[in-house]
Amino acid sequence: MKALFRILIVCAAIAFIGFMFFNTARENEPLEGPNANSNVIPKTELKQPEEGAMTRPQSGMSTLIGQGAQVVLEQYGEPARKEPSSFGYQWWVYKTSVSSFFMVGVQNNVVTQVYIAGDHLDASPFKIGQKRDEIYRKTIIDYEVAANVGENIFVFSMSEEDMQTRLLVKFDGLYAQLYIDGETGKLQGVRFTDSETLVLHRPYEMIYQGELVIPAPPSSFLQQDINLASAAQLDDLINVTRVQHDLAPLEMDDALDEVARLHSEDMKVQNFLSHESPTNGDLKKRLEAYETDYYEANENLATAYFDAVEAMHGWLNSPEHRKIILNDKYSLVGSGVFLNYYTQIFIEPTEKNNVGSEIEEIEEIEEPQDISDADSDQNIQ
């Protein structure tokens, strides 16, 4: 009898351990972007920094800035998607493959910016995958960069972290934001932009003299489309990032998209930034509500980034969020955005009634290696 009692105790302990560790939803700290604390300070007398502007590139995709949208169509054809933004321009998304992924900002039929992440594209004078040290040797870089919009003067100040992972470079009539992987020191993406779009974004601390450039607020119906567009861009960017680091792309999941979207909206409406909702509970409860089965789940949260590109690069340069992005266990992803609240959920799926299967602890991510041309041509899912 005593032996039977001991067996029952052991079985109960095993069941408790299984409940605690199988079907786990892990959590990390939400990420607040630089726009959370960036100041915008007016000045009556403002002296522009005396940094020299680099010569504007004569070749490469930066030459699209200022040209008509028809030029883009003639060179690259119709985009996969045309999506609205919070700043009045439209994003044209080109996603034939990771090696040729880019987005073009178009406003009033004129190209205002280009974001490049594909390593087969011409980002002159830069190159995707280029080392930060080489960029510093060949580029004029200063802590403060000035931009003019009409008679108005705007001066952006970079932090120490910006100088390592989010450089701003000035050319003649053109600006480049360089998104650098803080761990590998390699250029992950570059955004070429005109001065007015840069000021609209306010990506750094800013002082100004004159009239502040402010985007017109979108209608509630347009904002819904903007939210969906930002989520779709997060889905694209996560696979660009993973394939750049020699990992398989993830499959998009509609149910995860919905769980992520609702959590982003919940955070904004109820004014909190956490994995646990006051009304809907933690990630595990939110996934259970949608009857989502998994071995392991995790999510990245962020706020105060002005768009999906900034949010993705912010996550990549945060060690805890980076581990999730580059975890090869996950095969499904869902993204949701509400205004400037971003949620991305990752799961390692399982079939129903397989709760007892073992899962391993998350392994440390090894330093990413360069990918071969064959790997870089994987399609974005």
Side-chain angles (χ1 to χ4, degrees), residues 7-76:
I7 292 172
L8 291 174
I9 291 295
V10 171
C11 290
I14 292 173
F16 177 76
I17 292 172
F19 174 79
M20 292 296 293
F21 291 98
F22 297 141
N23 286 65
T24 55
R26 300 172 183 271
E27 296 183 354
N28 56 15
E29 289 297 318
L31 189 65
E32 288 194 74
N35 289 52
N37 301 308
S38 292
N39 294 316
V40 179
I41 304 172
K43 296 284 186 179
T44 55
E45 293 185 9
L46 179 60
K47 183 179 180 181
Q48 295 194 46
E50 296 182 355
E51 91 283 351
M54 295 182 62
T55 302
R56 183 165 179 158
Q58 299 301 304
S59 62
M61 298 186 71
S62 70
T63 61
L64 293 172
I65 306 297
Q67 298 200 53
Q70 185 61 33
V71 175
V72 180
L73 295 174
E74 291 171 355
Q75 293 189 28
Y76 302 101

Side-chain angles (χ1 to χ4, degrees), residues 278-299:
T279 54
N280 299 317
D282 59 13
L283 177 59
K284 183 175 182 179
K285 290 182 180 178
R286 288 184 274 122
L287 290 174
E288 286 175 349
Y290 275 76
E291 299 181 349
T292 301
D293 297 294
Y294 59 90
Y295 280 120
E296 184 175 295
N298 215 325
E299 70 181 349

Side-chain angles (χ1 to χ4, degrees), residues 291-344:
E291 299 181 349
T292 301
D293 297 294
Y294 59 90
Y295 280 120
E296 184 175 295
N298 215 325
E299 70 181 349
N300 282 338
L301 304 179
T303 190
Y305 288 95
F306 67 79
D307 68 4
V309 170
E310 289 268 325
M312 182 56 65
H313 285 287
W315 280 331
L316 183 65
N317 281 315
S318 169
E320 290 303 312
H321 300 85
R322 179 190 185 91
K323 287 180 181 179
I324 297 172
I325 290 172
L326 301 182
N327 192 327
D328 61 3
K329 287 183 178 179
Y330 300 130
S331 59
L332 295 181
V333 68
S335 304
V337 178
F338 189 82
L339 298 176
N340 67 341
Y341 284 80
Y342 302 85
T343 301
Q344 196 163 55

Side-chain angles (χ1 to χ4, degrees), residues 64-66 89 104-107 110-114 192-194 197:
L64 293 172
I65 306 297
Y89 55 79
V104 178
V106 177
Q107 187 166 22
V110 175
V111 177
T112 61
Q113 65 181 310
V114 178
F192 292 103
T193 178
D194 62 18
T197 304

Side-chain angles (χ1 to χ4, degrees), residues 88-155:
Y89 55 79
Q90 191 178 55
W91 274 123
W92 291 12
V93 180
Y94 289 84
K95 45 176 288 183
T96 304
S97 69
V98 170
S99 61
S100 59
F101 180 85
F102 68 99
M103 302 196 300
V104 178
V106 177
Q107 187 166 22
N108 298 324
N109 209 37
V110 175
V111 177
T112 61
Q113 65 181 310
V114 178
Y115 171 74
I116 304 167
D119 58 3
H120 286 184
L121 298 173
D122 188 352
S124 298
F126 310 108
K127 172 67 178 175
I128 302 300
Q130 186 177 11
K131 296 291 288 185
R132 179 174 49 218
D133 292 346
E134 182 182 351
I135 293 172
Y136 265 91
R137 287 197 304 270
K138 297 181 177 181
T139 309
I140 298 175
I141 296 173
D142 205 333
Y143 282 96
E144 292 189 332
V145 175
N148 293 81
V149 179
E151 299 298 320
N152 308 302
I153 304 171
F154 304 87
V155 178

Side-chain angles (χ1 to χ4, degrees), residues 155-173:
V155 178
F156 298 97
S157 300
M158 284 180 283
S159 66
E160 289 291 342
E161 183 177 354
D162 292 332
M163 295 294 286
Q164 296 299 311
T165 63
R166 208 167 55 112
L167 290 170
L168 179 61
V169 178
K170 182 177 182 178
F171 296 89
D172 293 326

